Amino acid sequence: MHQCINVILSGGSGTRLWPLSRQSNPKQFLKVFNKQSLFQHTLKRNQGFCDSYMLITNVTQKVMAETQAAEMEISLNQKVIEPVGRNTAPAIALACLSVDPEAVMFVTPSDHMIDGGQAYQNAINRAVELAQEGNVVTFGIDPLGPETGFGYIEARGESVVSFREKPDLKTAKEFLASGNFLWNSGMFCFKAGVFLEELEKHHYEMLKACKQAYSTIENGFVDLESMLTIPADSIDYAVLEKSDRVKVVPSSFYWTDLGTFDALINYAQLNQNRVDMLRPVEGCSNAYAFTNKKVVANGVDNIMLVETKDVMLVLPIGESNRVKSVYNSIKENDRSLVE
């Protein structure tokens, strides 16, 4: 049996969780989940399933990742360090070029929260089986509600009918009512060689540029000029939506990408406040504060407060998508608060 490698994608800066998440300390490295980060939870969760880890990251996140892995006595001996991001398809292609074509790649983002219980184990076991049969496997999550922040997979059993973009609320409700739509988890499983074959078939120019970039790698670092020649695209667009070898594993494990403050609050409510520093504000209805200070309020309902050493953010509950416009405004006027 060939080895299984957990390929961990760590590149984004989590702008929707600003000001907690900054470019210098992005969301996946915030130690606010029982004093561990999402990155550390990812390592721990997949330790039982994989023989080794491969980190795909950028220069700024490399040291944080290595430090947090070392705290858990886990070695990240395989790395691809990108000087500039070109989205998920090239990142995964570079990972696949680095290993035996028969190696099973279990690709996961570093910033999701998952309940790693029996349902998770069952889903991974099934995905590995399908991968070894030559399929490109994605994981579809049984939806808990009409979520507009996730992409969807239309499925019949393990067959993929279509991939759908993040819907509006009306469409999301229609997806749920039809009963054959799953949340797109952004997790994948396939043999390295199978992925490269499909990339060659559906995006030859990308594979060609990735092979050239791969030939420049020294100590894990990819050459900037070569990286810039790679067309940027997601695995969904470059391969999954075109390939006839795609399967989905319908999965019932708890999964969230914790991409917004509302998602953080929902997670804390479901898990008896397993988010450090996040607490309800006494004397108010549906109000939460993310701070180490005691917050006292009266008659101010449906708000969230987020405090860091240099910024205080206040938003209505249920509207944490407003962070984006706040972030963009701050970025123009005071870059130090972003970085």
Side-chain angles (χ1 to χ4, degrees), residues 57-326:
T57 191
N58 54 43
V59 179
T60 53
Q61 294 185 18
K62 171 182 178 284
V63 175
M64 282 182 275
E66 288 174 333
T67 302
Q68 292 199 357
E71 287 169 11
M72 303 176 71
E73 299 181 348
I74 286 174
S75 166
L76 299 173
N77 48 2
Q78 294 174 286
K79 291 188 261 308
V80 175
I81 317 299
E82 299 179 323
V84 59
R86 308 306 280 157
N87 213 320
T88 51
I92 292 166
L94 289 168
C96 290
L97 287 165
S98 308
V99 298
D100 184 309
E102 289 295 308
V104 173
M105 312 295 262
F106 175 41
V107 181
T108 63
S110 58
D111 59 353
H112 293 178
M113 183 57 88
I114 289 168
D115 176 0
Q118 190 62 48
Y120 185 65
Q121 190 168 345
N122 294 346
I124 292 175
N125 290 345
R126 180 60 185 147
V128 169
E129 280 176 12
L130 288 168
Q132 285 171 334
E133 292 167 8
N135 297 294
V136 176
V137 185
T138 182
F139 293 77
I141 310 297
D142 293 340
L144 301 176
E147 176 61 58
T148 58
F150 304 145
Y152 284 72
I153 299 169
E154 184 183 3
R156 285 200 192 92
E158 291 178 341
S159 298
V160 173
V161 177
S162 66
F163 289 89
R164 302 293 185 91
E165 296 291 322
K166 295 173 183 175
D168 58 26
L169 187 59
K170 177 175 176 288
T171 309
K173 285 178 174 172
E174 288 167 3
F175 286 174
L176 255 69
S178 80
N180 58 339
F181 281 83
L182 304 161
W183 286 342
N184 189 347
S185 70
M187 293 162 47
F188 314 100
C189 189
F190 37 73
K191 289 199 282 195
V194 167
F195 178 79
L196 295 173
E197 283 170 19
E198 291 304 284
L199 188 60
E200 182 170 34
K201 200 183 295 178
H202 302 294
H203 206 320
Y204 175 74
E205 289 304 313
M206 181 184 286
L207 179 61
K208 188 176 160 190
C210 285
K211 282 181 172 175
Q212 164 56 27
Y214 174 70
S215 72
T216 71
I217 292 180
E218 281 186 36
N219 300 322
F221 289 86
V222 187
D223 169 67
L224 174 61
E225 294 300 312
S226 295
M227 198 79 202
L228 287 169
T229 67
I230 301 174
D233 211 347
S234 69
I235 180 177
D236 299 69
Y237 287 138
V239 174
L240 297 184
E241 294 188 5
K242 301 180 176 113
S243 171
D244 57 6
R245 296 168 80 172
V246 179
K247 294 287 185 188
V248 61
V249 175
S251 307
S252 59
F253 54 82
Y254 175 81
W255 170 93
T256 175
D257 75 345
L258 293 180
T260 65
F261 286 111
D262 286 310
L264 268 181
I265 289 165
N266 291 343
Y267 174 73
Q269 289 169 331
L270 281 169
N271 294 279
Q272 285 77 50
N273 250 15
R274 269 168 40 190
V275 181
D276 311 340
M277 304 196 309
L278 180 62
R279 55 184 70 98
V281 178
E282 292 171 26
C284 301
S285 166
N286 199 27
Y288 290 84
F290 204 112
T291 173
N292 281 319
K293 294 178 182 168
K294 183 171 178 66
V295 177
V296 182
N298 193 314
V300 185
D301 301 331
N302 301 311
I303 65 158
M304 64 178 87
L305 179 150
V306 183
E307 186 201 39
T308 64
K309 66 180 188 300
D310 54 355
V311 177
M312 193 172 288
L313 173 73
V314 183
L315 289 172
I317 287 278
E319 296 189 39
S320 56
N321 55 342
R322 290 172 181 261
V323 171
K324 194 169 187 177
S325 58
V326 175

